[in-house]
Amino acid sequence: MDEVLQASAPGRVNLIGDHTDYTGGLVLPMVIDRMTTISGSWTDDRHWQLTSADEPGVASLALPITDPSTVQPEWARYVAGVLDGFERHGVRVPGFAGFVETSIPIGSGLSSSAALEVAVARILLQCGDPSARTLGDVRVLARLCQEAEHRATGVPCGIMDQLSIITGRPGTATLIDCHDLSIEEIVIPPDFVVTERFIHGRTLAGTEYAERVAQCRAAEEEIGPLRLARLADVESLSTELLKRRARHVISENERVRTFVDATRAGDIAAAGRVMTESHWSLARDYETSTARMDEAVRDVLAEPGVVGARMTGGGFGGCIVVLSRR
Ligand code: GLA
């Protein structure tokens, strides 16, 4: 019988630092205890065949892939994007027949798509082609998966999800400087309890996301890189809209630093406060929250032990992340 291969990748929740990665800012994601697993065997043809326990249809992909964005069913686009990415790196991808299952709720903002990309990549790393070796570097692999997502969906996402999923360890948050991709592990003290709560499915996420990326570029054309800008620089931007967008990004980078300092000092109240501030910055200046998510944040803050809450990830639905005392 053919050897059975298996590879997994977890979902992630972002503690703080949203909509900062695509301007080279700071993010603090953490992997969660839910994952996507692929199992199967190599085949002799150049064909990928994957069935899913959680999504309809079969991913039936002939290699080489021409355009991942037109593949059906839609979930197979992420698979196609990664296969194509490996071939662009000179790897001759062998055929594969297998099965994918996930415990990450799909469309919840916990990065089920990035987890699928990374799980496919981890299967491919086992193919034995010498060109795959350079892809053992976590940053190169994360870029490949990020680009796969760009080609699969057209959404110009940053690198946070893929890099945090590839490098994250349970119980530890990953501080990523998205400019130079340096990583620092931040231990979450045992009395800090992080939970995520699903609020509602996402809407318009792709278009709105691309618009935010474009607005940040426009602001950067006027005042230079947002990761280096100061709040005072915002005043010289030409429109109110760009001022609000830039204000969020610049202040969010600062909040990540504050959160990390508070965590290191074991100051849960300060960490919680800055998380909640991040939510209102995303809601008011960046406009990536929704009325229901705002309401959920207000409600959860009234619960005993809760010190902070915010929307997490791209927004327009999905989950909130909550910090409470044990
Ligand atoms: C999505 C993207 C990430 C990041 C977040 C917002 O999850 O995939 O790159 O931009 O939104 O922080």
Side-chain angles (χ1 to χ4, degrees), residues 8 16 78 81 118 227 241 282:
S8 298
I16 194 158
Y78 303 104
V118 173
R227 73 191 164 83
L241 184 74
L282 284 158

mmCIF file of all heavy atoms in Angstrom, residues 8 16 78 81 118 227 241 282:
data_model
loop_
_atom_site.group_PDB
_atom_site.id
_atom_site.type_symbol
_atom_site.label_atom_id
_atom_site.label_comp_id
_atom_site.label_asym_id
_atom_site.label_seq_id
_atom_site.Cartn_x
_atom_site.Cartn_y
_atom_site.Cartn_z
ATOM 1 N N SER A 8 -0.664 19.015 9.065
ATOM 2 C CA SER A 8 -1.682 19.844 9.711
ATOM 3 C C SER A 8 -1.208 21.278 9.826
ATOM 4 O O SER A 8 -0.006 21.558 9.805
ATOM 5 C CB SER A 8 -1.948 19.347 11.130
ATOM 6 O OG SER A 8 -2.432 18.049 11.103
ATOM 7 N N ILE A 16 -3.764 41.575 18.975
ATOM 8 C CA ILE A 16 -3.790 43.017 18.708
ATOM 9 C C ILE A 16 -2.864 43.303 17.517
ATOM 10 O O ILE A 16 -1.936 42.526 17.243
ATOM 11 C CB ILE A 16 -3.384 43.821 19.972
ATOM 12 C CG1 ILE A 16 -3.741 45.307 19.806
ATOM 13 C CG2 ILE A 16 -1.912 43.643 20.341
ATOM 14 C CD1 ILE A 16 -3.877 46.044 21.131
ATOM 15 N N TYR A 78 -7.458 27.735 -2.983
ATOM 16 C CA TYR A 78 -6.308 27.878 -2.079
ATOM 17 C C TYR A 78 -5.304 26.746 -2.321
ATOM 18 O O TYR A 78 -4.099 26.941 -2.292
ATOM 19 C CB TYR A 78 -6.761 27.866 -0.617
ATOM 20 C CG TYR A 78 -7.772 28.952 -0.320
ATOM 21 C CD1 TYR A 78 -9.121 28.666 -0.179
ATOM 22 C CD2 TYR A 78 -7.366 30.276 -0.219
ATOM 23 C CE1 TYR A 78 -10.055 29.676 0.074
ATOM 24 C CE2 TYR A 78 -8.275 31.284 0.035
ATOM 25 C CZ TYR A 78 -9.613 30.980 0.177
ATOM 26 O OH TYR A 78 -10.524 31.971 0.413
ATOM 27 N N GLY A 81 -3.597 27.459 -5.599
ATOM 28 C CA GLY A 81 -2.626 28.555 -5.452
ATOM 29 C C GLY A 81 -1.303 28.057 -4.901
ATOM 30 O O GLY A 81 -0.224 28.479 -5.346
ATOM 31 N N VAL A 118 -1.242 26.316 4.309
ATOM 32 C CA VAL A 118 -0.035 25.825 4.987
ATOM 33 C C VAL A 118 -0.054 24.293 5.077
ATOM 34 O O VAL A 118 0.989 23.644 4.908
ATOM 35 C CB VAL A 118 0.123 26.491 6.376
ATOM 36 C CG1 VAL A 118 1.278 25.874 7.160
ATOM 37 C CG2 VAL A 118 0.328 28.002 6.225
ATOM 38 N N ARG A 227 4.512 52.901 8.964
ATOM 39 C CA ARG A 227 5.179 52.274 10.114
ATOM 40 C C ARG A 227 6.173 53.229 10.764
ATOM 41 O O ARG A 227 6.555 53.045 11.906
ATOM 42 C CB ARG A 227 5.855 50.967 9.696
ATOM 43 C CG ARG A 227 7.083 51.149 8.878
ATOM 44 C CD ARG A 227 7.612 49.877 8.250
ATOM 45 N NE ARG A 227 8.552 50.231 7.214
ATOM 46 C CZ ARG A 227 9.829 50.517 7.426
ATOM 47 N NH1 ARG A 227 10.350 50.427 8.632
ATOM 48 N NH2 ARG A 227 10.603 50.868 6.425
ATOM 49 N N LEU A 241 -10.769 61.137 5.218
ATOM 50 C CA LEU A 241 -10.775 59.669 5.176
ATOM 51 C C LEU A 241 -9.354 59.124 5.368
ATOM 52 O O LEU A 241 -9.123 58.242 6.194
ATOM 53 C CB LEU A 241 -11.353 59.176 3.850
ATOM 54 C CG LEU A 241 -11.489 57.658 3.757
ATOM 55 C CD1 LEU A 241 -12.653 57.165 4.607
ATOM 56 C CD2 LEU A 241 -11.660 57.194 2.322
ATOM 57 N N LEU A 282 -10.527 50.498 15.199
ATOM 58 C CA LEU A 282 -10.935 49.759 13.996
ATOM 59 C C LEU A 282 -12.372 50.096 13.610
ATOM 60 O O LEU A 282 -12.709 50.195 12.436
ATOM 61 C CB LEU A 282 -10.799 48.248 14.241
ATOM 62 C CG LEU A 282 -9.358 47.726 14.199
ATOM 63 C CD1 LEU A 282 -9.231 46.408 14.953
ATOM 64 C CD2 LEU A 282 -8.886 47.553 12.752
#
